[in-house]
Amino acid sequence: MKPRYDLAVIGAGPAGLAAATLAAKRGLSTVLLDEQTAPGGQIYRAITRSPVKNPSVLGTDYWHGADLVGPFRDSGADYLPGTAVWSVSRTLDIGLSRDGAARILPARHVILATGALERPFPIPGWTLPGVMGAGAAQILLKTSGLVASGNVVMAGSGPLLWLLAWQYLRAGARIDAILDTTPRENWRQAMPHLPAFARSGYVGKGLKLLLEVRRKVKVIGNVSALRAEGDGRVQTVVYRQGDGAEQRLPADTLLLHHGVIPNINLANAIGCAQSWDEAQRCWVPDVDGWGATSVEGVAIAGDGAGIGGALAAEHRGRLTALDALHRLGAIDRATRDRDAAPHREALDRALRGRDFLDALYRPGKEFRVPADDTIVCRCEEVTAGQVRDAVKLGVSGPNQTKSFLRCGMGPCQGRLCGPTVVEVIADARGVSPAEVGYYRLRPPVKPITLAELASLPKAEDEVAAVMHH
Amino acid sequence: MSEPDVIIVGGGLHGCSTALHLAMRGVRALVLEKDHIGRHASGVNAGGVRQLGRHAAEVPLSVASMALWHGIRDIVDDDCGFESHGQLKVAETEAELESCRERAAQLTALGFTHEEVVDQAELRRLVPSIAEHCLGALVSRRDGAAIPYRTTFAFKRKAESLGARFHEGAAVARVARSGRNWRVETADGVAHEAPVLVNCAGAWADRLAAQLGEPVPLEVIAPMLMITARVPPFLKPVVGATGRTLSFKQFPNGTVLIGGGLLGRAYRDENRTDLDFANVTTNARTVWDLFPIMRSATIVRAWAGIEARMPDDIPVIGPSGTEEGVFHAFGFSAHGFQLGPIVGRITADLITRGASDLPIDAFRIQRFRHTAAAA
């Protein structure tokens, strides 16, 4: 570890790997900090060490991740896996934890490549053991080659749900049913975007995957209500199709998925301005065409700056790296713009068809704005009804809900409840989420122990001593 | 809409409490808050309800406020999360314990008996998890803690139910005489008039005071706090230290709040604070030393609120030194929460009766005339 880097990239997914590789190759002293023990991020998770060796299980798109890791290894960038970044100050001092000790690492420029997280999908019973996010199931598959056993039901909407179903089937796992919650009316909104989608890379692959899944699994469409029931763990999934009667399915595992949203926690805690994205129905940091945020020296690449998928993330990573080179004086503006041109073109191609997916897979209101008895904040067990009661008492936004109900005050700092709380308050007040705002998040954005904090070198010379050791 | 009798600038606890005490007397107050109620220090402080260790000038107010706290539900129809398990300041050395004894003796001489010195055995009975080396403590048994935002909101709600009005998102841009009245214009161009103006603007109060011709040397500070994930219950009282800065308590839900006034950086024009991790570390080390049980606890969040500190660390409470019909209550220097209930009553007394039955001379704004002029 150097005492100070020109560039620190946080997150080793496609955006972070591409950014760090380009920057280091062109001479910036670069460090890539990542929480995982191996590169790849979520989408290429465990790319260097997955026990799933048969390429047809995870698909060729997954194995493209290896094309990013090799060049990164050769780039000269330092790589610090197993590193939790819990704070970045406005002066670009990075608070991090490794091996049980905390450190402050200063940088001249920071690129956040913190990616996406699954949109919370609160239904009655979602806190029961046996119910989990499809993303978590996919992590188990990629890192350990594990799939759920017994009766498996998937529910939700979005490309990743279908991808996981396909990967599950390829791995020889059983899926009893897929409960598709995509609202029928979404098709009408999505149709105008169909031509662009038809010209995108998604179509061929997507259709093939969809047809293969549909051939092997019972898909129940137009699901309008959903809950998990069970004694101590999930046993039954209860659902409703349209206005139909309630139906029941036995389930040992229920995998939920409602798309992904940017992981804005670190950007928010740094103080980067953010806006409500109506199309993707989530908060997105304000960035320019180079990923630059409202905070000097902090840029965001990849899905953390708005969902675009793995290929788009990679190209956005290179664009933010070129801008970092320019801002740090390594290249002039003309060079930056010239060198960016092919990446920009590739980005446009990668983003083609995105509008169609956003419109089609926008979760239905009944799932974004859950009924009163549904828990929204899992850490503090706060229900949607309690949030509505607080609104009746005059609470106008999520920060007040925090003070009032402790909602969003648990260890996850609102990662699991934030989007839902915003939707519930906005709906109860009859205003847009843009007006309701979002949580002000606080460092440490990753929980660290008191012992780690106490170990933090205090004076500047102490910091220097640690950094030089 | 009818014009109010009193315009209060600032919707923190002191503004809300003043509005409530005025409303209880049938005086119509309008509170103008630039953000929302309890947005700053009143909503995010440690919630200590503490008489222990107060400046001699504050003791009579603090004792009177404590009486209100113990009946808080009768005043605002909400218990404000107030629990009274005592507060104590731990002595780690014989010299610190001796200073505790001197402090208790001083208070007794002033006629107050709420602070007492306890020995090591009693300290361990009160706080079984305290580190071995601690020798005793100064204790105030009727002290405790409440939930700040809930408290501020309860005062606001009760005041509103009695006729007080609250305008949130109403930043005061200009204050001027208009005949017998004060004319207060907000940034969005709305003007209100009333014969009486109260300055409860916290970290922004110096700007209003300056407009009234009495600048004060107010420092904008950002005391930091951190909170842990839940741990099994191990602590009832609020624990401070004699020789270092600490405020430490466990909530009924198991989370532990660690504070004590160490400062981050405040940017009041942006409503923003930055943490200073060197100071956070100092705080963490204090807890490491005093509560070995906490070493593996997980810190889930740290934050800082925006506050005002006066050079002598006690607030400004009382009538303006330059203008008729103006009253101040600000500059609580990171310990105003417990005083909230009584300061509202004092200010209401000053407005409706022209005097308070509590000694408030020490808090006169005029005490800064020289320093402010020099600055």
Side-chain angles (χ1 to χ4, degrees):
Chain A
M1 208 190 295
K2 293 192 178 68
R4 179 188 176 101
Y5 286 90
D6 292 331
L7 174 67
V9 179
I10 300 168
L17 286 168
T21 303
L22 189 150
K25 274 190 176 156
R26 299 189 58 163
L28 293 185
S29 69
T30 301
V31 63
L32 177 60
L33 309 167
D34 190 49
E35 202 170 10
Q36 304 305 324
T37 52
Q42 296 303 338
I43 198 79
Y44 304 127
R45 197 179 175 103
I47 188 72
T48 53
R49 52 168 75 160
S50 178
V52 185
K53 294 301 178 203
N54 178 354
S56 72
V57 171
L58 295 170
T60 48
D61 284 353
Y62 171 75
W63 294 102
H64 169 64
D67 302 341
L68 291 173
V69 174
F72 169 69
R73 291 255 155 89
D74 301 335
S75 70
D78 283 350
Y79 172 50
L80 296 183
T83 301
V85 171
W86 42 264
S87 167
V88 175
S89 76
R90 296 244 178 170
T91 49
L92 309 188
D93 290 313
I94 300 165
L96 58 90
S97 286
R98 275 200 105 194
D99 303 328
R103 299 277 183 274
I104 300 286
L105 178 64
R108 293 174 64 209
H109 195 90
V110 175
I111 294 176
L112 310 181
T114 50
L117 40 79
E118 279 191 305
R119 185 191 298 275
F121 189 171
I123 57 168
W126 71 314
T127 54
L128 283 172
V131 182
M132 63 173 163
Q138 201 183 31
I139 288 171
L140 283 174
L141 174 59
K142 287 174 185 169
T143 56
S144 314
L146 290 176
V147 291
S149 54
N151 294 113
V152 176
V153 175
M154 292 186 179
S157 180
L160 283 179
L161 189 74
W162 296 102
L163 176 64
L164 177 66
W166 184 80
Q167 290 172 337
Y168 246 56
L169 294 172
R170 288 277 169 132
R174 143 184 193 174
I175 303 171
D176 290 66
I178 295 176
L179 301 173
D180 188 348
T181 60
T182 309
R184 284 239 166 101
E185 67 268 21
N186 281 11
W187 280 99
R188 195 164 37 81
Q189 261 115 41
M191 285 321 279
H193 305 294
L194 189 59
F197 180 71
R199 286 184 285 113
S200 75
Y202 293 113
V203 168
K205 274 181 292 190
L207 279 179
K208 193 163 149 263
L209 187 148
L210 256 163
L211 289 174
E212 188 175 333
V213 172
R214 283 185 172 272
R215 216 169 41 235
K216 293 181 179 163
V217 182
K218 182 166 74 166
V219 176
I220 299 162
N222 200 25
V223 168
S224 58
L226 192 62
R227 69 173 188 273
E229 286 182 353
D231 188 13
R233 60 170 295 121
V234 63
Q235 287 158 331
T236 309
V237 176
V238 185
Y239 69 93
R240 196 194 289 273
Q241 262 187 302
D243 299 333
E246 274 192 354
Q247 306 194 55
R248 309 171 74 83
L249 278 173
D252 300 299
T253 301
L254 172 61
L255 301 178
L256 296 173
H257 179 79
H258 254 168
V260 294
I261 55 176
N263 178 359
I264 57 171
N265 287 36
L266 185 52
N268 179 315
I270 295 170
C272 300
Q274 61 193 28
S275 301
W276 174 253
D277 182 326
E278 185 56 36
Q280 297 191 337
R281 208 81 200 164
C282 57
W283 289 92
V284 175
D286 297 347
V287 292
D288 67 11
W290 302 96
T293 69
S294 64
V295 175
E296 185 64 39
V298 177
I300 308 179
D303 280 358
I307 302 302
L311 280 180
E314 185 182 324
H315 302 304
R316 284 152 96 188
R318 295 189 183 108
L319 293 172
T320 50
L322 284 170
D323 194 45
L325 281 156
H326 169 54
R327 285 169 184 255
L328 293 171
I331 58 174
D332 61 22
R333 176 183 285 260
T335 308
R336 176 195 72 174
D337 294 351
R338 188 193 67 222
D339 293 357
H343 303 307
R344 236 176 242 299
E345 241 172 74
L347 174 62
D348 287 345
R349 262 198 314 278
L351 286 175
R352 200 180 291 158
R354 202 76 224 171
D355 294 340
F356 177 80
L357 294 175
D358 289 346
L360 180 62
Y361 291 123
R362 180 171 161 150
K365 188 181 169 190
E366 56 276 31
F367 297 110
R368 287 184 284 110
V369 186
D372 279 353
D373 56 349
T374 308
I375 287 176
V376 295
C377 170
R378 300 176 67 130
C379 300
E380 298 289 332
E381 299 196 339
V382 179
T383 65
Q386 285 173 280
V387 174
R388 290 194 180 94
D389 287 344
V391 171
K392 281 183 204 137
L393 287 175
V395 159
S396 61
N399 287 300
Q400 291 156 293
T401 336
K402 259 191 334 194
S403 310
F404 222 80
L405 296 171
R406 299 196 47 77
C407 180
M409 293 283 268
C412 92
Q413 279 211 37
R415 270 186 285 279
L416 286 168
C417 67
T420 310
V421 167
V422 167
E423 294 265 14
V424 170
I425 295 175
D427 180 63
R429 288 182 52 204
V431 300
S432 155
E435 196 172 319
V436 167
Y438 194 65
Y439 291 131
R440 279 187 303 279
L441 300 177
R442 304 296 193 186
V445 291
K446 297 280 176 181
I448 61 172
T449 64
L450 185 94
E452 285 173 285
L453 258 189
S455 77
L456 191 65
K458 202 180 148 204
E460 248 169 50
D461 49 340
E462 268 186 85
V463 174
V466 168
M467 293 306 167
H468 286 112
H469 87 260
Chain B
M1 210 182 298
S2 63
E3 285 295 337
D5 303 312
V6 178
I7 293 173
I8 299 166
V9 181
L13 179 57
H14 291 278
C16 292
S17 174
T18 302
L20 171 59
H21 284 280
L22 287 170
M24 290 193 299
R25 299 164 197 204
V27 179
R28 293 167 302 171
L30 169 66
V31 179
L32 301 176
E33 163 55 48
K34 75 179 181 68
D35 297 304
H36 61 79
I37 299 304
R39 164 71 175 84
H40 295 288
S42 291
V44 298
N45 65 73
V49 179
R50 172 178 64 84
Q51 305 171 88
L52 182 68
R54 285 201 174 260
H55 189 286
E58 286 181 354
V59 171
L61 276 59
S62 183
V63 169
S65 208
M66 208 67 209
L68 297 180
W69 274 105
H70 278 273
I72 199 76
R73 180 181 274 286
D74 298 331
I75 301 173
V76 295
D77 305 332
D78 188 310
D79 67 12
C80 301
F82 175 56
E83 289 192 25
S84 171
H85 300 292
Q87 288 220 9
L88 47 85
K89 272 171 168 306
V90 173
E92 296 177 79
T93 64
E94 195 49 54
E96 285 176 19
L97 194 57
E98 184 51 35
S99 75
C100 292
R101 292 190 192 103
E102 282 167 23
R103 162 78 186 181
Q106 252 173 21
L107 274 193
T108 310
L110 290 170
F112 296 101
T113 55
H114 56 273
E115 292 186 18
E116 59 177 294
V117 178
V118 300
D119 63 11
Q120 196 169 28
E122 174 67 357
L123 169 60
R124 214 163 294 292
R125 196 189 67 76
L126 291 170
V127 189
S129 52
I130 197 78
E132 299 267 328
H133 73 277
C134 298
L135 299 175
L138 194 61
V139 178
S140 176
R141 297 187 191 260
R142 269 166 60 84
D143 290 4
I147 300 173
Y149 186 78
R150 180 163 158 193
T151 303
T152 306
F153 217 76
F155 273 79
K156 183 243 181 186
R157 244 189 356 255
K158 186 63 190 279
E160 209 165 25
S161 76
L162 296 175
R165 286 187 291 136
F166 291 80
H167 287 190
E168 296 175 87
V172 170
R174 218 169 73 87
V175 178
R177 273 267 176 225
S178 167
R180 280 186 55 253
N181 281 343
W182 287 102
R183 181 183 162 83
V184 181
E185 282 172 32
T186 57
D188 50 10
V190 182
H192 305 276
E193 286 196 19
V196 175
L197 180 66
V198 183
N199 178 11
C200 293
W204 292 262
D206 56 333
R207 292 180 176 169
L208 194 54
Q211 278 203 47
L212 298 165
E214 44 191 349
V216 286
L218 176 152
E219 184 194 354
V220 179
I221 58 170
M224 298 189 292
L225 294 167
M226 52 185 153
I227 197 152
T228 70
R230 290 167 201 230
V231 292
F234 69 96
L235 179 69
K236 286 287 191 185
V238 180
V239 179
T242 308
R244 12 188 180 176
T245 165
L246 177 71
S247 164
F248 185 82
K249 70 152 175 284
Q250 186 173 33
F251 286 105
N253 71 1
T255 57
V256 177
L257 185 75
I258 302 167
L262 287 170
L263 301 182
R265 286 173 289 271
Y267 305 89
R268 65 171 163 177
D269 290 327
E270 301 170 47
N271 277 353
R272 183 170 74 79
T273 56
D274 282 348
L275 299 177
D276 179 339
F277 273 98
N279 277 339
V280 170
T281 299
T282 303
N283 229 307
R285 287 178 183 171
T286 302
V287 175
W288 168 280
D289 289 345
L290 291 181
F291 289 94
I293 192 177
M294 288 296 293
R295 290 178 185 179
S296 60
T298 303
I299 306 293
V300 295
R301 187 166 50 257
W303 71 97
I306 301 181
E307 261 258 35
R309 178 161 77 191
M310 307 314 295
D312 50 7
D313 270 321
I314 57 174
V316 173
I317 304 169
S320 159
T322 53
E323 297 284 352
E324 282 286 309
V326 175
F327 300 86
H328 298 288
F330 66 84
F332 286 86
S333 309
H335 50 256
F337 182 62
Q338 189 264 353
L339 296 174
I342 196 68
V343 169
R345 196 178 85 192
I346 290 170
T347 309
D349 279 341
L350 293 173
I351 292 167
T352 58
R353 296 185 204 150
S356 165
D357 53 2
L358 284 160
I360 56 168
D361 265 7
F363 309 115
R364 288 152 45 93
I365 193 167
Q366 290 93 325
R367 72 186 193 271
F368 298 116
R369 250 182 203 160
H370 299 295
T371 43

